[in-house]
Amino acid sequence: MRRNVRGWVRLTLVVTLLVVAAVPAALATEPYHEIIVNIPAFSLHLYQDGLPAATYPIGVGRVVNPSQLGSTEVINKVEYPTYYPPDWYSQGLQPIPPGPENPVGTRWLGLGFKGYGIHGTNAPNSIGTAASAGCIRMNNEDVEALAQLIGVGTKVTFTYETVETWLDPVTRRPFLRVHRDIYRQGTNTLTRALDALEQVGVSREAVDEQALGAILGEAAGEARPVPTSVPLFLDDQQARTGAIFFGGRLLVSVESVAALTQDEVYVSNQGEQARLWVSGREVSGIFWIGQRPYVSVETVADALGLALLTAGVQGIHLERVRVVDAQGRDLGLRPYLTRSGLFLPVQELSQQFGVTATWDARLAGVRLGETVAFGAEVIGSKAYLPYDRLAEHLGVQITWRPQQATAVLRPLYVEIDSSNVGEGLIHGDQLYVPLRPITDALDYTLGWNQSERKAYVQGVPIAGTVRGGRLFASLDALDEVIPAFRYEWDKEALRLNLHLGGAADDVNDRRFDGR
């Protein structure tokens, strides 16, 4: 008997231990489920033990029959439910049995909100829209999967969050998703978006509000990087807005910078793709944020004719190219720096040197006095030429190097016995000097024959040119009318000093060695 008692004791102990061990194991394997419905996102999120388990697309209530907000729970589950239309009995309607015509599909998950539930549908095209009488519609296969996972008593929370923000778990970069404000609650505002971003650690000062506003206006319902501000400087003055760091890219608002440079921006939305022009030139490589165009730093510099000094997340420095004289005084021109080089406005600069500039439509070139310059580019209804080509036509020197923000324009300075008598012209390897000061100094006569395009000095014809009402001739032409003269040419200073009336054997003392 004792042996049997011990055996029963041992058996009872073993069974008890097995039962006790099994109870926690069973409890541990039963997951806790929770449903969160974000109405404007048309999304139902299932959480298991606090972790995201599944997300399903849904249809929600119409604007006139909005889905309710707040928390409730699943109170019943019905497979292949029968649909009872509202007031069906009093209106003499018949219930709709399970089948393809049933509006609530293959599953019904009744909620604590009276008359509301999560159910399937026979109209799958309504998923992703506000089309129901307040219930949550799901694709039949989705609601069947959901019904298998959850039970009666599962908590369900209805929210209305149009701005979702989060940090990428790896890069720690901030993102947001903006949904349409389908119930017109006025939720897509800058203030609410900035508040939501602050909750994930993004300071308000770091966000570019202009780009953020474009994302809010777009309300695409898709993940977007948060646009963070990058300091933008134009001519050493900081702009209020314009540059952003967006998804690993450094971008600049074309419209913002164009407003500072007073360039015209035109956006065309005709056709399949929007296009953009700045001062009459089309800009490619546009990155659209909502309806606002952004481009790379290099592209905006090229489009607006600016010099790009530095570019990085710490700041972007752009500068307008200035054209100055030898004394550093700004000539008030608006050059354009493009990838092809520096272009200068033809008419404005030509007027300063007494040269008439007109457009020759037949030759498709710019007529500068008696010559025609080709290769002009029209920017903002004005003709522009490369700086070196325009300098050649105007007879001046313009020095500029790539990436420099200053071009220096210098004319030829002409002196007689070290006294300044005016400006000359430079055409290739020929120097042209004003004739009137020379003939006055020598007491010579001076005339001009327009039809022959020749000057007459002491009655002797020589080749000449007219610029701003003044007669010019080359140094070689002076040999024909001045018996003896010599000159000193300082190429660095662009200074030509003439000595008139020398003896005949002084001719050999002339120096034109290019220095």
Side-chain angles (χ1 to χ4, degrees), residues 184-436:
R184 300 166 191 159
Q185 301 296 305
T187 55
N188 286 345
T189 65
L190 273 174
T191 299
R192 290 193 76 254
L194 292 171
D195 288 343
L197 287 170
E198 277 192 327
Q199 293 178 7
V200 296
V202 180
S203 68
R204 305 171 83 92
E205 294 74 18
V207 180
D208 186 277
E209 294 187 3
Q210 188 180 64
L212 179 59
I215 295 174
L216 291 169
E218 177 191 33
E222 299 176 357
R224 295 282 186 264
V226 174
T228 54
S229 296
V230 175
L232 174 67
F233 298 87
L234 178 62
D235 299 336
D236 293 328
Q237 297 294 319
Q238 184 170 0
R240 296 182 61 184
T241 185
I244 60 174
F245 186 68
F246 188 75
R249 283 179 274 199
L250 200 58
L251 300 174
V252 179
S253 166
V254 180
E255 295 169 313
S256 296
V257 183
L260 299 176
T261 59
Q262 298 183 339
D263 283 274
E264 294 184 357
V265 176
Y266 173 70
V267 178
S268 169
N269 290 314
Q270 298 179 355
E272 297 180 356
Q273 187 175 5
R275 301 167 67 185
L276 180 139
W277 285 264
V278 175
S279 295
R281 298 188 300 161
E282 186 171 4
V283 180
S284 60
I286 302 296
F287 188 89
W288 295 91
I289 300 179
Q291 298 298 314
R292 185 171 294 276
Y294 286 79
V295 296
S296 68
V297 180
E298 294 77 12
T299 299
V300 80
D302 184 58
L304 299 174
L306 304 172
L308 176 58
L309 304 184
T310 58
V313 293
Q314 301 303 318
I316 298 171
H317 293 258
L318 298 169
E319 193 165 347
R320 281 175 278 216
V321 177
R322 298 169 57 242
V323 181
V324 301
D325 62 15
Q327 287 72 43
R329 293 172 299 204
D330 198 314
L331 298 180
L333 303 173
R334 171 63 201 281
Y336 276 83
L337 179 59
T338 72
R339 295 173 185 176
S340 301
L342 181 64
F343 283 70
L344 301 182
V346 177
Q347 190 169 27
E348 296 173 51
L349 190 55
S350 299
Q351 287 177 347
Q352 297 189 19
F353 290 92
V355 178
T356 301
T358 58
W359 178 258
D360 192 316
R362 183 178 63 86
L363 298 175
V366 180
R367 187 172 292 279
L368 295 165
E370 302 172 5
T371 63
V372 177
F374 298 98
E377 185 168 342
V378 178
I379 305 175
S381 75
K382 295 182 180 180
Y384 283 73
L385 278 171
Y387 79 99
D388 48 354
R389 192 177 308 167
L390 184 56
E392 172 67 21
H393 282 279
L394 297 180
V396 297
Q397 181 190 79
I398 301 177
T399 56
W400 174 80
R401 293 179 181 177
Q403 301 305 318
Q404 280 189 338
T406 302
V408 181
L409 185 151
R410 297 188 300 170
L412 169 64
Y413 298 99
V414 180
E415 298 176 343
I416 297 179
D417 295 327
S418 300
S419 295
N420 184 29
V421 294
E423 298 175 354
L425 305 174
I426 306 171
H427 289 300
D429 59 355
Q430 289 290 321
L431 304 180
Y432 286 73
V433 295
L435 284 175
R436 177 61 66 183

Side-chain angles (χ1 to χ4, degrees), residues 25-70:
L27 292 176
T29 58
E30 185 176 343
Y32 171 75
H33 288 110
E34 182 180 4
I35 292 174
I36 296 180
V37 176
N38 189 2
I39 293 171
F42 299 105
S43 297
L44 183 150
H45 305 278
L46 175 65
Y47 288 81
Q48 180 174 304
D49 295 329
L51 298 175
T55 297
Y56 303 102
I58 61 173
V60 300
R62 296 187 296 271
V63 175
V64 294
N65 296 110
S67 299
Q68 291 196 34
L69 299 180

